[in-house]
Amino acid sequence: MSFDETSDRSAGRSFPERGSRARKVAGTLGMAALAVLLGGCSTLLSGGDAAVPTFDLSAPADFSAPRRGTGLLVVGPPSALAVLDTERIVVEPQPGQITYLDKAQWSDRLPALFQARLIESFENGNRARSVGRAGEGLSADYTLLSDLRAFGLRTYEGGPVAVVEVSVKIVAANSGRIVAAQVFTARAPAASTSGPDATAALDQASDQVFVELVRWASSRF
């Protein structure tokens, strides 16, 4: 075989074979990348993991609150520790131990949700014209400040129990002085630690707090 013939074979056959292999590898990698991309799109389109069941608080109705005067009260956002300033539902398996309920969450951060339902409770108690939300530019006579101390399920007291505790202060707008203060606490047994049972018990306990708080505050402005 001549040198020229060998060169022809190397140039004409070996290089195309290498190019063919490169195209095959590139094609295989391309298909793999496409599969990963499509798989990611499928996950996005399907929503990935199943959505977490979401629960809401209600505002009590069918009750009345006393009317002392013509003052305007604005309800500020409650303060809360980071453990409560979340959409997750607190569970206390032991005193001082905090965890969260699995596969359940509130419809909003708890302080924002509590504020909204408290204002709604005032409105349901026939105080709609004398109560508003802080930050809405209202010329208020009083401000209601609150601190969420407890809002969760305790499972170490002989069975799951919903516990709601909030400290409340009414502050005069013109002087900044505290004109009234009170701590409200309510408990309600829960049938189980499932999302529906736990949130139903917490809703029952918070309704009791809302009614007592609205009646107490309404007699002071």
Side-chain angles (χ1 to χ4, degrees), residues 9 17-18 49 57 81 86 103 120 126 145-146 149 158 185 188 207:
R9 289 185 178 183
E17 287 175 358
R18 291 176 185 173
D49 296 336
L57 290 176
L81 294 176
T86 176
K103 299 180 181 179
E120 189 176 343
N126 299 319
L145 303 177
S146 59
R149 294 183 174 183
T185 305
D207 274 2

Side-chain angles (χ1 to χ4, degrees), residues 29-112:
L29 292 176
M31 292 298 293
L34 181 60
V36 171
L37 180 59
L38 291 177
C41 292
S42 176
T43 301
L44 291 173
L45 291 174
S46 63
D49 296 336
V52 177
T54 301
F55 299 88
D56 200 359
L57 290 176
S58 67
D62 299 327
F63 77 100
S64 60
R67 186 176 180 86
R68 179 185 176 186
T70 59
L72 176 63
L73 176 77
V74 295
V75 179
S79 61
L81 294 176
V83 69
L84 291 173
D85 192 6
T86 176
E87 296 89 354
R88 305 186 71 183
I89 300 170
V90 168
V91 177
E92 297 181 45
Q94 296 294 334
Q97 182 180 359
I98 300 296
T99 185
Y100 293 100
L101 202 63
D102 188 30
K103 299 180 181 179
Q105 65 181 5
W106 295 120
S107 58
D108 201 344
R109 288 174 39 256
L110 180 60

